[in-house]
Amino acid sequence: MKIVLEVLAQFKNTAPNIKVSSNVDNCEFNLENKTNTIECNLNLQSSDTISIEFLNKDDNEDNVVNLKKMIVDDIDMQHFIYDGEFFPTYNTNWYNEQTIKPPKSYKPGTEMRHNGKWILNVQLPIWKMMMDNWINDDRQTS
Amino acid sequence: MTDKLPKLLKDAIEQNKPDVKVITENLKLPWLKLDLTFPNMPTYWPTYLENIEGKDWRGQWKFEEDSKSNYQVKDWNGGLLFGPQPHDEFLKTTQDIRFDVDEDSRCKKYRKDFKFDWYVNKSDLVRKWIGTIIPDEDLNLVNTYYIPPGGYVFPHKDYPHDGVGLAKIYIAAVWDKGNVFGIYGCGNIPIKQGDVFLLNNYTLPHWVYNGSNTKRCVIDIGANLNSPQLKDLVETSFKKYFQNNE
């Protein structure tokens, strides 16, 4: 299934590398531009995950990956990308220096400032998943 | 025959009937066709649509993005026929309400705090027709929604402030075959030209598309459904729809 991502990259010398995966498939990208539109085909099961792994955090220059848009099977996931959760793999030295420990995960977590994996649970068909999420959202409804 | 029954059961059997409050607030019906037909006005709509050309309904209600830049809406527009006045003052005062509450709900919530009146004169045909069904004091908001062929609104959900279900009176003023009003999990509403429906846009995601070759125009009314006239209309329509074997 076609996955298109719009990802902003912040860096001086070390362009971020990311791995985009489903449960059974993956592809890697080097984000060389400030704004990157990348495309890959992933084999997606009826209940699966789409994940983005930030692989080469450079703590000296503070490179950052920021997911702005995700299009799955030609459907813009819109605000549903904020349902994804980022699980950072903190630099051990940095982590030990923190008197107040940072959280194990962030949700929304589209801005990745550490190595780690952003994970979005998906169900196929995508359009139906979006509608079901709307039905079950926690805002006051009728 | 019911004389020897316990009083609770006896009263329930004898007195149970459709109730507008239960139908609109407790039941989460996606739609109810009202026992009413809107007259054909072939000369009214071309002139009306010409008059709202260039106006931006979403801009008027201060939505974050205007109609042109919002990709979720293609060529959809509307006009305000009845509502709060002055409109800008209303928006300023009511901006503290939750951002996702729709304009119908906002007008309902602040109905007594502002002057509400018509934006069209007394001779306007739509105003005159609505006046035969709903008195002005029971109106909260009257909008027209317009979509040219090929126009659409993406799937979305609206949010009320009071947990209501069926709420909008939706009139198919100009509606050719090929038009769609879809509600998730329910299929398309079986709307035909001149139909009047009570819609629930709050429980389920929904979308619209004009797949016909002509301009589509609907009238959307937010009103006090507990007013005597509307209460009777809703209850009668419910009976006709669900109890037509009687």
Side-chain angles (χ1 to χ4, degrees):
Chain A
M1 188 167 284
K2 188 170 79 173
I3 315 280
V4 178
L5 303 176
E6 187 183 306
V7 192
L8 305 185
Q10 190 181 306
F11 63 96
K12 290 189 190 105
N13 299 308
T14 311
N17 289 334
I18 59 168
K19 182 157 81 176
V20 182
S21 310
S22 68
N23 285 343
V24 293
D25 233 348
N26 68 73
C27 41
E28 284 195 33
F29 299 92
N30 181 242
L31 306 178
E32 294 171 329
N33 304 308
K34 297 288 178 204
T35 302
N36 304 270
T37 301
I38 56 180
E39 184 178 325
C40 59
N41 270 294
L42 294 180
N43 187 358
L44 279 180
Q45 313 296 309
S46 59
S47 181
D48 212 317
T49 61
I50 297 174
S51 63
I52 301 170
E53 192 170 1
F54 183 10
L55 299 166
N56 63 333
K57 173 73 181 180
D58 183 332
D59 292 305
N60 293 321
E61 66 163 72
D62 200 21
N63 50 355
V64 175
V65 173
N66 191 349
L67 174 66
K68 298 307 283 184
K69 188 184 272 195
M70 174 183 275
I71 297 167
V72 181
D73 194 23
D74 291 327
I75 296 175
D76 187 339
M77 298 295 284
Q78 305 173 44
H79 58 282
F80 292 108
I81 61 172
Y82 301 118
D83 288 341
E85 193 163 5
F86 179 58
F87 297 88
T89 308
Y90 295 115
N91 174 296
T92 309
N93 292 335
W94 178 86
Y95 185 84
N96 290 337
E97 285 168 9
Q98 306 308 307
T99 46
I100 298 169
K101 297 301 181 196
K104 286 191 171 126
S105 68
Y106 298 84
K107 187 177 175 179
T110 49
E111 188 171 302
M112 292 165 252
R113 292 183 165 271
H114 300 271
N115 277 339
K117 193 185 267 191
W118 175 88
I119 300 173
L120 178 71
N121 293 316
V122 292
Q123 279 85 40
L124 303 184
I126 292 295
W127 82 273
K128 205 164 185 308
M129 181 197 92
M130 292 170 75
M131 298 302 118
D132 287 335
N133 278 352
W134 252 314
I135 287 180
N136 298 317
D137 70 10
D138 56 5
R139 284 186 277 178
Q140 182 197 351
T141 185
S142 55
Chain B
M1 183 181 168
T2 56
D3 284 353
K4 288 176 187 168
L5 284 173
K7 184 70 166 43
L8 173 63
L9 186 59
K10 181 175 180 290
D11 284 356
I13 289 169
E14 289 178 354
Q15 295 171 33
N16 181 38
K17 60 182 180 54
D19 181 317
V20 68
K21 200 163 180 301
V22 175
I23 294 166
T24 57
E25 293 179 23
N26 299 95
L27 275 186
K28 301 306 176 193
L29 292 173
W31 64 76
L32 175 69
K33 187 175 184 302
L34 297 178
D35 193 17
L36 200 62
T37 303
F38 186 75
N40 213 353
M41 298 179 181
T43 55
Y44 177 90
W45 293 106
T47 313
Y48 175 78
L49 292 173
E50 210 170 276
N51 286 340
I52 65 165
E53 187 97 17
K55 291 180 183 168
D56 180 10
W57 186 91
R58 288 176 64 83
Q60 189 181 4
W61 284 92
K62 306 254 188 292
F63 280 81
E64 280 176 15
E65 295 173 280
D66 66 29
S67 301
K68 283 176 190 162
S69 62
N70 189 339
Y71 82 103
Q72 297 188 21
V73 176
K74 185 185 172 204
D75 297 337
W76 180 94
N77 204 355
L80 183 58
L81 297 187
F82 179 96
Q85 296 179 1
H87 191 257
D88 281 348
E89 193 60 36
F90 173 81
L91 290 182
K92 215 166 111 185
T93 309
T94 63
Q95 67 187 358
D96 59 330
I97 196 169
R98 271 181 26 242
F99 72 93
D100 52 7
V101 168
D102 73 352
E103 65 288 349
D104 292 37
S105 256
R106 192 174 293 215
C107 287
K108 188 176 170 186
K109 186 173 168 65
Y110 293 98
R111 181 65 174 86
K112 290 192 172 71
D113 301 330
F114 283 84
K115 180 191 164 209
F116 279 66
D117 208 347
W118 287 95
Y119 285 84
V120 289
N121 63 40
K122 281 183 179 168
S123 62
D124 182 271
L125 289 179
V126 170
R127 175 177 174 174
K128 278 166 103 172
W129 185 83
I130 291 172
T132 64
I133 316 292
I134 312 166
D136 286 1
E137 61 267 25
D138 286 321
L139 286 173
N140 298 334
L141 182 66
V142 181
N143 277 310
T144 58
Y145 298 148
Y146 156 73
I147 312 180
Y152 57 73
V153 180
F154 254 39
H156 67 285
K157 198 168 125 181
D158 300 305
Y159 295 86
H161 71 85
D162 56 1
V164 74
L166 285 171
K168 276 175 189 277
I169 298 171
Y170 193 84
I171 301 169
V174 185
W175 187 283
D176 261 1
K177 209 174 168 189
N179 271 291
V180 170
F181 192 125
I183 297 192
Y184 177 55
C186 304
N188 295 332
I189 307 176
I191 302 177
K192 298 190 301 296
Q193 166 73 40
D195 280 349
V196 182
F197 277 81
L198 193 57
L199 288 193
N200 175 355
N201 59 314
Y202 298 127
T203 303
L204 297 168
H206 52 278
W207 53 90
V208 294
Y209 168 61
N210 182 355
S212 79
N213 295 318
T214 54
K215 293 170 180 175
R216 148 185 172 166
C217 199
V218 302
I219 303 162
D220 179 283
I221 303 174
N224 171 20
L225 299 175
N226 293 301
S227 73
Q229 295 92 327
L230 288 177
K231 180 180 177 327
D232 186 54
L233 175 65
V234 172
E235 292 173 354
T236 306
S237 303
F238 183 89
K239 260 186 179 170
K240 196 167 178 181
Y241 212 65
F242 290 99
Q243 304 179 347
N244 58 5
N245 55 338
E246 282 190 353

